[in-house]
Amino acid sequence: MKPTFTAAAVLMSALALAAPAIGQDLPKVSVLGMTVPDYDPMAGAKMGIAGLFERKIGLDDRTAKLYVPEDTRLGTSMVVLNVPEGKETVQWLVDSGWLTVADERKILLYVLEAAPEKAWGTVEEERDYFETAYANISENIPEGRAIYYLPPESYYVVGYDAVGTLLHELAMKDPTLVASAAFVDASDIPATVLDGLDEKFYDKPDWNGEQVAASDVPLPVLIAQSGGLDGDVEAVAAYWMATNHVGAEGEETEGGVTYTQEDGTLDYFVAPSTRLEVKVLENQNLGAAALYDGFLAKYTRYGGAAGGNTVGSRPDYAELGVESKFMELGGRLREYLVYVPQSVKDEPDAAAPVVYALHGSGMTMNAMFDYSRWWEIADAEGFILVVPAGLNTANRTGWDVSDDSADINFISALVEEINADYNVDKSRVYLSGQSNGSAMTHAVGRDLRALKQFRSSRFDIWRRHVEGYFRKSAAILSHLGRVRLLAGRIGRAA
């Protein structure tokens, strides 16, 4: 399969390089390790820091930049990217439009940069830096994840220029950490790297007990290459096309060709309602907004072992009508999402079942909504979906499972509020959780006052490695016999 694109194609204005605002000031850079996070109980699941920070990565004098916009939520999306060759980090973040995109979308930027007052070295000279900085993103180390910020389960990755091929290689070697990726003149990877991916197996098997190689795991990818494809770059594009099971015939789009995953492929690796894409474009100075909104943000991924890992389309909350709501309880702002399917809205006089889905430790209500794809099951079965947020415990969100905890009181108050605000069939109210959220369902089960509000609860103690908890969207219920998963039919009574 040989990827091609029209060399003379011109990208639409939406793909033009984003220009900075005239006279825009450069942001101040603070040292992450000297910053004191401020977590406000009445701010909900918000980051305790905001601004542009320099972070040591534990390798000589090398650093990375972390950008956290104001009012950014814990667990929000993160773009991992490198500064192009010949660019100064802060000026480029402004000029490229990445700071504007981060501010408007409320996403994190994790920026790999050259050594202080030096240019990038060769690919081999920078390899140790890229691998160390990339590995440190989610490690609980000083100046790291559990102290200052909380990244999501998977990242968006953008590589620029020759050194960006190192990010490309890292995404290839472990696609489970990446929701989608874009590489701008960063795809000239030697065949020896591609050859080794078929033999690079994950420790945990898939749902059939079979080994999973890195080359088995799909990843939606955009390749923008100046001057067309040849040699190793063409082989890299062909690799991603094979991995993503795209059709041989692509669709010509502005600037290149889009190849789409074929029907009936990649079961469990890709949500049933989603089709992955591989875009091959001629590099026309794609701006940050074009890369993020036009490609990266179309996808979401629940990270983890390859056998319990799914790529899916990212839900549009506004289009779906997802309500973001809150209450004040015990001196804290408590938050939750509510999704009411159209079928329920169409019958306002008919009482509807409700499913409460609790996220795991370190996750958020938004991550649970996006990764679990419960909204698709709500559409199919006709129930109201409620996804609450656990306590913000200064650097992560989770659930306090002790007796008569603040979270027990929150769940009880939340059920009462949902019952008051919506037409609920109180005989069909269900509770389910993942990991720490599963432990919270146990805690509710121990509390008779809280338990009486539910028809049944699902204690799913981190089953995803055994039964693929998140691996197939509409099958979270059907995998064990449709709604038997919640010990009774959830769907609306006929």
Side-chain angles (χ1 to χ4, degrees):
M1 184 188 307
K2 182 175 181 177
T4 60
F5 58 82
T6 305
V10 179
L11 297 179
M12 299 292 286
S13 58
L15 298 182
L17 183 65
I22 297 175
Q24 182 174 351
D25 294 332
L26 297 181
K28 173 187 174 182
V29 178
S30 301
V31 177
L32 188 61
M34 297 178 65
T35 303
V36 179
D38 179 18
Y39 292 95
D40 181 359
M42 288 304 298
K46 295 284 181 65
M47 295 277 186
I49 60 173
L52 181 60
F53 300 92
E54 185 171 274
R55 176 194 175 190
K56 295 179 180 179
I57 64 149
L59 187 67
D60 299 326
D61 62 345
R62 299 301 297 269
T63 60
K65 294 290 193 294
L66 173 70
Y67 184 62
V68 183
E70 292 283 349
D71 297 323
T72 299
R73 298 184 62 80
L74 290 164
T76 191
S77 298
M78 172 185 275
V79 179
V80 180
L81 66 167
N82 69 281
V83 178
E85 296 169 0
K87 302 293 184 181
E88 189 278 327
T89 301
V90 180
Q91 186 69 61
W92 175 76
L93 286 172
V94 172
D95 293 346
S96 65
W98 274 113
L99 287 191
T100 299
V101 168
D103 284 335
E104 293 178 352
R105 294 12 170 226
K106 300 301 180 186
I107 61 174
L108 304 176
L109 301 179
Y110 187 85
V111 188
L112 279 60
E113 58 187 353
E117 300 181 3
K118 293 183 180 179
W120 283 115
T122 66
V123 169
E124 287 309 313
E125 289 172 342
E126 298 291 353
R127 184 176 296 279
D128 194 21
Y129 166 73
F130 269 73
E131 291 178 352
T132 302
Y134 189 79
N136 283 354
I137 294 172
S138 289
E139 289 189 359
N140 298 340
I141 59 176
E143 298 193 28
R145 175 180 187 271
I147 307 299
Y148 294 95
Y149 65 95
L150 182 68
E153 295 285 332
S154 59
Y155 325 127
Y156 300 115
V157 170
V158 181
Y160 289 97
D161 298 338
V163 291
T165 61
L166 291 166
L167 277 178
H168 201 151
E169 287 186 29
L170 288 166
M172 283 181 157
K173 291 175 180 177
D174 189 3
T176 65
L177 290 177
V178 185
S180 58
F183 302 104
V184 181
D185 289 335
S187 299
D188 193 0
I189 297 173
T192 52
V193 173
L194 302 184
D195 293 342
L197 297 173
D198 289 335
E199 301 299 324
K200 186 181 185 305
F201 295 103
Y202 288 92
D203 293 336
K204 294 184 181 296
D206 69 5
W207 43 92
N208 292 319
E210 298 178 359
Q211 283 187 303
V212 179
S215 59
D216 294 328
V217 182
L219 174 66
V221 167
L222 182 153
I223 293 175
Q225 192 71 25
S226 301
L229 305 186
D230 54 30
D232 288 339
V233 177
E234 182 179 330
V236 168
Y239 168 86
W240 285 121
M241 292 176 185
T243 298
N244 288 287
H245 291 246
V246 302
E249 299 298 323
E251 178 183 353
E252 295 230 2
T253 54
E254 257 62 42
V257 182
T258 298
Y259 300 87
T260 303
Q261 174 196 343
E262 295 181 305
D263 292 342
T265 63
L266 296 172
D267 286 348
Y268 305 152
F269 282 115
V270 180
S273 60
T274 301
R275 290 295 174 267
L276 306 186
E277 291 179 340
V278 174
K279 284 184 176 290
V280 183
L281 307 175
E282 184 176 3
N283 181 16
Q284 296 282 344
N285 291 327
L286 291 102
L291 291 172
Y292 188 75
D293 296 325
F295 188 77
L296 299 174
K298 294 168 62 175
Y299 301 101
T300 186
R301 179 177 223 137
Y302 180 74
N309 179 290
T310 299
V311 182
S313 56
R314 187 169 170 180
D316 185 321
Y317 286 19
E319 183 177 310
L320 289 172
V322 178
E323 301 173 85
S324 183
K325 309 184 80 170
F326 62 89
M327 68 171 71
E328 182 179 346
L329 187 68
R332 286 180 174 269
L333 187 74
R334 303 309 303 260
E335 301 165 288
Y336 57 100
L337 300 175
V338 180
Y339 175 59
V340 182
Q342 190 59 48
S343 60
V344 175
K345 294 178 181 177
D346 290 342
E347 299 183 48
D349 295 331
V354 180
V355 171
Y356 292 80
L358 309 184
H359 62 75
S361 176
M363 289 176 64
T364 63
M365 64 183 185
N366 303 88
M368 185 67 174
F369 190 97
D370 293 3
Y371 299 152
S372 69
R373 311 191 74 80
W374 267 106
W375 85 88
E376 293 182 329
I377 307 167
D379 282 339
E381 297 293 333
F383 60 81
I384 298 170
L385 172 64
V386 181
V387 185
L391 284 172
N392 177 0
T393 55
N395 54 33
R396 60 194 297 121
T397 49
W399 301 98
D400 182 350
V401 300
S402 60
D403 293 340
D404 199 29
S405 69
D407 281 324
I408 291 285
N409 295 331
F410 171 48
I411 295 298
S412 295
L414 178 58
V415 172
E416 292 176 2
E417 186 152 314
I418 294 297
N419 289 347
D421 291 347
Y422 301 89
N423 189 3
V424 173
D425 182 346
K426 296 178 184 177
S427 69
R428 290 183 291 165
V429 178
Y430 306 90
L431 180 65
S432 180
Q434 177 226 353
S435 192
N436 179 226
S438 169
M440 188 61 197
T441 63
H442 276 290
V444 171
R446 296 195 311 264
D447 190 302
L448 296 180
R449 173 178 56 86
L451 182 61
K452 69 181 181 181
Q453 297 173 308
F454 295 95
R455 170 69 175 83
S456 68
S457 57
R458 174 63 181 173
F459 310 135
D460 203 275
I461 304 295
W462 202 233
R463 306 172 68 103
R464 66 183 176 84
H465 296 312
V466 180
E467 296 176 337
Y469 182 78
F470 281 118
R471 73 177 186 242
K472 192 173 183 181
S473 167
I476 293 179
L477 294 181
S478 64
H479 183 67
L480 295 180
R482 202 62 175 174
V483 292
R484 187 169 63 85
L485 186 63
L486 291 177
R489 181 163 181 80
I490 296 176
R492 308 184 75 177

